[in-house]
Amino acid sequence: MIFITAKFRVKPEYAEQWPQIAAEFTEATRAEPGCLWFDWSRSLDDPTEYVLVEAFQDDAGAAHVQSDHFKKAQRDLPPHLVATPKIVSTSVEQGDWSLLGEMAVPEQG
């Protein structure tokens, strides 16, 4: 799968509304064939920083960046940002989340 993490630094005046600002893009991406997940989190240390964790089946990544909603997001989202988002993108040999064995939780019976 293609695994991507991106950091978005949102202008302070838009920080509270960012989930709504990005909602159309988020919903459309989640509906794409081959999208495994597309999840936003907000930094605990910086309320203007949002982190996007996304994954696609290997053959779905190209279609994502060519989609109409991606092109719309390229136009609509940057005016709300302080800087160009930072990204880590890689391919990994798995198709879902693995368990974090070092923090295993005993099964509840």
Side-chain angles (χ1 to χ4, degrees), residues 2-96:
I2 301 166
F3 184 81
I4 300 164
T5 304
K7 288 186 175 188
F8 290 72
R9 290 194 50 235
V10 179
K11 290 179 181 176
E13 62 268 28
Y14 299 115
E16 292 302 317
Q17 296 90 3
W18 182 253
Q20 291 78 30
I21 292 167
E24 182 180 344
F25 177 54
T26 300
E27 291 169 19
T29 301
R30 287 177 176 167
E32 289 178 28
C35 178
L36 300 172
W37 58 81
F38 194 87
D39 297 322
W40 293 95
S41 297
R42 192 173 190 180
S43 171
L44 296 176
D45 298 322
D46 179 354
T48 67
E49 182 180 86
Y50 284 83
V51 177
L52 176 60
V53 179
E54 52 187 304
F56 297 90
Q57 294 171 343
D58 289 333
D59 57 347
H64 170 62
V65 297
Q66 296 301 319
S67 68
D68 289 340
H69 57 271
F70 188 91
K71 292 174 185 172
K72 184 176 186 313
Q74 285 179 297
R75 289 188 310 269
D76 295 349
L77 298 184
H80 300 93
L81 302 175
V82 172
T84 300
K86 295 180 180 180
I87 186 170
V88 174
S89 178
T90 190
S91 292
V92 295
E93 295 291 326
Q94 63 190 74
D96 201 351

